[in-house]
Amino acid sequence: MKIIQVEDGAELSKRAAALIIEKVRQKPTAVLGLATGSTPKGTYEELIKDHLQNGTSYANVKTINLDEYVGLPSENPNSYHYFMRENLFDHLNFTKGNHFIPDGMSQHLDRACQAYEELIRSNPIDLQVLGIGQNGHIGFNEPGTPFDSTTHRVQLTRSTRKANARFFDHFNEVPKEAITMGISSILQSKEIILLASGVKKAEAINRLLKGALTITFPASALNKHDNVTIIADREALSYELNPQHF
Ligand code: GLP
């Protein structure tokens, strides 16, 4: 795994955006695997700035998102459909129909998962953007998820629901279920960049860099991939310096 150490969230966003822009310039038909959460927000802002200033075109780019809550309609501001429109899709020149996000409103969730997995297999992802949960989840693959998992339904852990509750009015409104690409789906990507910012991610990053390959820490599966870059800021890499703070 390659590590790019940056100072803070602002620099992280610039470095991550630069990698995405480079990919899209080299391959205008690139398939981008995208993530939600607060970490990639700044990266998406940088993509928008670049698009306005330099005209990087996304007309032939496809996007495939990692995950979505079950039961939140796309008009709900906490749905990942809404997040992606608001923070990225509405601001770049994407072609309608080139975005894919799991359908958490499907009446047939298992079938929706299978169809999503087929979509990933027939549109191999050139560059996957990942965040990381404090418990090491990637997408919504919680501890215990097998490394050979494909797109599936998942019961969210209380700790993940608590971490994400900051976006909701009440903890009880945080969905209990989600659809996520599996670990095996993520590992199919040709290249992966994992973004981590802030001291809350330091323990997870330390475990990712030092820890053993184990399903109790889903991100450790990334050690099996040969083209992963971690972009992390000083706080996210601070575990070694301040282990007593954790
Ligand atoms: C959610 C998402 C993940 C994301 C994680 C970290 O649980 N499903 O894809 O990586 O949160 O989010 P944040 O960047 O807000 O810390």
Side-chain angles (χ1 to χ4, degrees), residues 24-90:
V24 170
R25 294 239 176 97
Q26 274 169 2
K27 186 176 179 185
T29 58
V31 179
L32 299 178
L34 298 179
T36 52
S38 31
T39 316
K41 254 184 160 178
T43 302
Y44 297 156
E45 280 167 22
E46 293 294 331
L47 294 183
I48 296 165
K49 266 196 233 163
D50 164 76
H51 173 67
L52 294 173
Q53 282 166 12
N54 307 314
T56 305
S57 177
Y58 294 80
N60 298 309
V61 168
K62 281 187 189 161
T63 66
I64 304 187
N65 264 73
L66 276 172
D67 48 13
E68 176 59 290
Y69 290 114
V70 166
L72 292 191
S74 71
E75 311 77 59
N76 185 312
N78 280 310
S79 74
Y80 289 169
H81 278 77
Y82 190 99
F83 175 100
M84 291 309 299
R85 283 200 306 272
E86 243 347 67
N87 291 291
L88 190 69
F89 297 162
D90 285 355

Side-chain angles (χ1 to χ4, degrees), residues 36-40 66-67 80 131-133 137 139-140 160 164 166 201:
T36 52
S38 31
T39 316
L66 276 172
D67 48 13
Y80 289 169
I132 184 167
H137 73 237
F140 267 134
T160 296
N164 290 359
R166 65 191 191 277
K201 301 296 169 70

Side-chain angles (χ1 to χ4, degrees), residues 92-103:
L92 300 179
N93 67 328
F94 285 111
T95 301
K96 224 176 157 215
N98 275 356
H99 301 305
F100 303 94
I101 303 181
D103 180 8

